[in-house]
């Protein structure tokens, strides 16, 4: 349409592997905004699987610094709403299949 400008925002994506609070997270599966990350710890043989709905923000200014638009991993307050911890990959895949992509 004449006079309308559309812009496509580019978002920094969540890495396929990252470390947080002593754990290593490795993306096993992702489609659209849903993903499964394997959660491991170097000093443990146990693995958990986090099924998450990826969020995003459009960028903001904090303390005078510009933060670019980016995807976000759900924080602890969103557990049970947009993120779940599963103890087996089969359980994680079932949960994943219930989420919209």
């Amino acid at each position: 349409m004449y006079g309308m400008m559309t812009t496509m925002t580019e978002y920094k994506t969540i890495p396929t592997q990252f470390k947080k609070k002593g754990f290593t997270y490795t993306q096993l599966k992702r489609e659209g905004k849903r993903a499964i990350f394997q959660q491991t710890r170097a000093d443990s043989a146990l693995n958990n699987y986090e099924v998450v709905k990826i969020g995003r923000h459009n960028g903001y200014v904090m303390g005078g610094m510009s933060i670019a638009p980016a995807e976000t991993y759900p924080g602890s307050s969103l557990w049970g709403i947009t993120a779940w911890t599963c103890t087996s990959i089969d359980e994680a895949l079932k949960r994943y299949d219930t989420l919209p992509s």
Side-chain angles (χ1 to χ4, degrees), residues 2-62:
Y2 181 75
M4 290 185 68
M5 278 184 30
T6 58
T7 58
M8 190 81 153
T9 302
E10 288 191 34
Y11 295 87
K12 180 181 175 185
T13 57
I14 291 176
T16 56
Q17 187 171 63
F18 61 93
K19 292 178 187 274
K20 183 178 177 183
K21 297 183 181 178
F23 293 98
T24 298
Y25 295 86
T26 304
Q27 182 181 295
L28 301 180
K29 185 172 185 172
R30 179 169 179 182
E31 182 181 348
K33 294 181 182 179
R34 63 183 176 164
I36 299 175
F37 284 84
Q38 182 177 26
Q39 179 194 58
T40 57
R41 191 178 192 129
D43 61 355
S44 175
L46 297 176
N47 291 315
N48 284 319
Y49 302 88
E50 294 192 349
V51 180
V52 299
K53 184 175 176 187
I54 304 292
R56 65 182 185 187
H57 65 78
N58 291 321
Y60 52 91
V61 176
M62 180 186 287

